[in-house]
Amino acid sequence: MRRSSIIMLIAAVALGLIAVLFARTFLSSGDDAGSQTAAVRTVPTVVAAADIKFGEKIKPEMVKVVDWPANTLPQGSFQRLDELTMGAGRTAMRPIVANEILTENSLATGANRLSTAQLLGPQMRAVSVPVNEVSGVGGLVFPGDRVDVFMTRQPEEAMPYSELLAQGARVLAVGSDMNVGKEKPELVKTATLEVTPLQAQKIALAVTVGSLNLALRHFSDESRMRLQTAQVMDLNDGTITRLVRKPNSGGAAPSGPPAPSAGNSGQAPVGPGVVVMRGTSNGTTSSFESVIGK
């Protein structure tokens, strides 16, 4: 009897110790959770209550206020509904999905009309360039894309050439459409680009003396490269080519080998060589170079 009482006493003490350990663990985890909750500070933030389309005026039923962690809040957010709906109001500059935080960059002040000027960065300019199915990349250029701008010119006094005018220019609008959520390609006559004042000056001149082409680039491609002027003689993959000269104006091929120049020994060159022809017509000097071989 005495032995069983001792065993029961030991079991009771053990259970009591286990209960104390469980209590301490539970209270400790509760304190940690409370401290973590207290460490995360939230602030009222305006978000979209439903999907908002491009160009829609912000109405009170379209937005709501939620508590958002202050340390993850994007710059330019709003804390009160009246900041969006009172006065001139705001207009969506791009599609906004439900529960997305509204920011100044996604909205335009005033609801009368949307202006491309509100999309421009500081010290930047908007310039429109003519495009067609070829120069406009088949209608696959959309607002928000990045493009390079090339000019091609065929002057009377020289061979045709191409120059790079601008790199990574942001497309603000295609035709009159500024919707960055545009999904279907469309052939338009103009594209409006965001460029620097110097690039705007070059493009304005290039439109009058040559034709422009847009080259679409990847969103994340911020690289800049220096390209030399490309001419007709550069249109190969680096291999040596042979050019066949046209017959003379009378239609008859020249008879016999060309007369040797005073600087050689009277023998025709053997193997590959370079032939340079220069002449004048109406006071305009022109040149033609080719590589010929036997």
Side-chain angles (χ1 to χ4, degrees):
M1 188 69 178
R2 185 177 181 183
R3 183 177 180 181
S4 61
S5 299
I6 294 174
I7 293 174
M8 292 179 63
L9 179 61
I10 294 174
V13 172
L15 291 174
L17 292 175
I18 293 173
V20 171
L21 291 175
F22 270 111
R24 287 184 177 180
T25 303
F26 177 77
L27 293 175
S28 176
S29 62
D31 293 340
D32 292 342
S35 62
Q36 291 178 0
T37 303
V40 179
R41 186 174 65 89
T42 61
V43 294
T45 305
V46 180
V47 301
D51 292 346
I52 302 175
K53 298 179 181 180
F54 167 78
E56 277 193 308
K57 180 182 177 181
I58 304 300
K59 299 178 181 178
E61 61 269 20
M62 295 180 176
V63 290
K64 61 183 179 180
V65 177
V66 300
D67 291 330
W68 197 273
N71 57 348
T72 62
L73 200 61
Q75 186 176 6
S77 58
F78 301 91
Q79 279 67 54
R80 302 192 313 274
L81 294 179
D82 57 6
E83 295 181 276
L84 302 175
T85 58
M86 298 298 290
R90 306 267 181 163
T91 304
M93 293 296 294
R94 59 172 178 79
I96 300 173
V97 298
N99 296 315
E100 179 181 347
I101 298 177
L102 275 66
T103 62
E104 293 181 353
N105 290 335
S106 62
L107 304 174
T109 303
N112 294 330
R113 68 181 180 90
L114 295 178
S115 172
T116 306
Q118 297 167 330
L119 300 174
L120 287 172
Q123 308 300 321
M124 300 299 285
R125 303 291 186 268
V127 59
S128 294
V129 298
V131 294
N132 53 37
E133 185 174 0
V134 176
S135 62
V137 199
L140 296 177
V141 175
F142 296 91
D145 285 342
R146 298 277 179 173
V147 296
D148 294 344
V149 184
F150 293 88
M151 179 200 70
T152 303
R153 184 170 180 250
Q154 186 171 1
E156 296 180 357
E157 68 279 3
M159 292 184 178
Y161 65 91
S162 177
E163 296 277 13
L164 176 60
L165 301 181
Q167 300 185 64
R170 182 164 64 103
V171 180
L172 300 176
V174 286
S176 58
D177 193 350
M178 299 182 291
N179 184 8
V180 296
K182 183 180 177 68
E183 297 179 352
K184 295 182 179 180
E186 180 184 2
L187 295 179
V188 295
K189 295 182 179 180
T190 61
T192 303
L193 312 177
E194 180 187 49
V195 294
T196 65
L198 179 59
Q199 290 170 336
Q201 182 184 32
K202 292 180 178 180
I203 290 174
L205 176 60
V207 170
T208 64
V209 299
S211 59
L212 301 184
N213 283 76
L214 305 182
L216 188 63
R217 63 160 55 196
H218 194 273
F219 289 105
S220 61
D221 185 4
E222 298 290 341
S223 62
R224 296 292 185 271
M225 61 183 66
R226 294 179 61 87
L227 295 181
Q228 296 181 351
T229 300
Q231 294 185 292
V232 174
M233 299 301 295
D234 301 319
L235 300 182
N236 58 42
D237 60 356
T239 59
I240 298 177
T241 59
R242 288 187 175 91
L243 300 180
V244 179
R245 284 177 287 183
K246 295 180 180 180
N248 57 19
S249 59
S255 59
S261 61
N264 60 25
S265 58
Q267 297 181 354
V270 179
V274 177
V275 176
V276 180
M277 302 176 60
R278 291 186 175 88
T280 58
S281 175
N282 297 329
T284 301
T285 301
S286 62
S287 65
F288 174 81
E289 296 185 2
S290 65
V291 178
I292 62 173
K294 191 173 182 179

